[in-house]
Amino acid sequence: SCSVWDRNSNVVAVELLNEPPFGGLADLGDAGKVRMDLFDFYSAIMLALEADPSPTRAPLAVEDIGGTILNPLVQAVAAVTGVDAPYKDAVATLKRWAGRGQLIVSFHWYPHETTENSLKEYIRGALFLASMFQSPPIWMSEYFNSQEQTAYFLALASEFGCGAVTYWHYANTEFTKTDGWFR
């Protein structure tokens, strides 16, 4: 029932699959529909949760392949041609969850060049993907910058349209008593 979200105010959402792998390499025909299958997988989880007599109240976060975001033009071409676009039934399920305020589109930003423009373009792609599902909030759930740039890009991502931003490489070293995520 995803109850961890109910008990912890710091939990943004329940992410269904972090950095979904690109699959189907043994068969190029299967590789061509990997995104379709991924969103069908998300839909199947949501349908199973809807069938549970104990309703899930937590928002669910979904990511595209590898946590990346495709360029909006590539996504538009995929949608028009039907190549690698999510199945209509899966889209309907994700729209239903978005309509209830229980869907978030999550993505990671690890650019080759950390610039305002690269962030803006990446967020445009995330907003385009979200628009397929009634425009739920987008969440930049992972990114990494130098210590000097972290706060700047966190704020900028919010200004560019992210509903939530989390800095991936943060560790509370006072709690762990180490320089990492371990005790």
Side-chain angles (χ1 to χ4, degrees):
S1 70
C2 306
S3 61
V4 69
W5 180 80
D6 291 332
R7 294 188 313 268
N8 298 283
S9 63
N10 63 327
V11 176
V12 174
V14 175
E15 192 164 49
L16 297 181
L17 186 60
N18 184 50
E19 297 181 353
F22 186 86
L25 293 179
D27 182 334
L28 291 179
D30 287 342
K33 61 184 186 117
V34 69
R35 281 183 80 221
M36 296 162 57
D37 291 340
L38 174 64
F39 285 95
D40 200 41
F41 170 75
Y42 290 148
S43 174
I45 292 172
M46 292 172 186
L47 291 170
L49 289 171
E50 287 175 347
D52 187 337
S54 182
T56 298
R57 296 183 357 196
L60 302 180
V62 297
E63 287 185 7
D64 210 336
I65 302 297
T68 64
I69 290 293
L70 296 175
N71 177 292
L73 180 60
V74 173
Q75 290 184 67
V77 169
V80 168
T81 63
V83 175
D84 220 21
Y87 295 113
K88 288 179 184 174
D89 289 346
V91 170
T93 302
L94 273 72
K95 282 182 175 181
R96 191 168 54 252
W97 279 70
R100 293 194 306 246
Q102 289 185 272
L103 182 68
I104 297 174
V105 172
S106 170
F107 67 97
H108 303 167
W109 182 57
Y110 294 110
H112 296 291
E113 189 176 349
T114 307
T115 64
E116 284 186 26
N117 195 46
S118 71
L119 177 60
K120 185 182 282 186
E121 287 302 308
Y122 217 71
I123 289 173
R124 276 191 42 215
L127 290 167
F128 187 90
L129 178 61
S131 74
M132 295 174 60
F133 313 119
Q134 286 189 329
S135 298
I138 61 170
W139 170 28
M140 189 164 78
S141 56
E142 287 187 24
Y143 80 106
F144 180 76
N145 291 104
S146 69
Q147 193 169 2
E148 299 79 30
Q149 294 180 319
T150 297
Y152 174 75
F153 280 104
L154 187 145
L156 195 61
S158 178
E159 290 174 14
F160 287 161
C162 288
V165 182
T166 50
Y167 177 64
W168 179 242
H169 294 274
Y170 171 77
N172 182 339
T173 55
E174 288 182 29
F175 173 77
T176 63
K177 308 272 189 269
T178 68
D179 62 354
W181 300 331
F182 53 92
R183 263 183 107 143

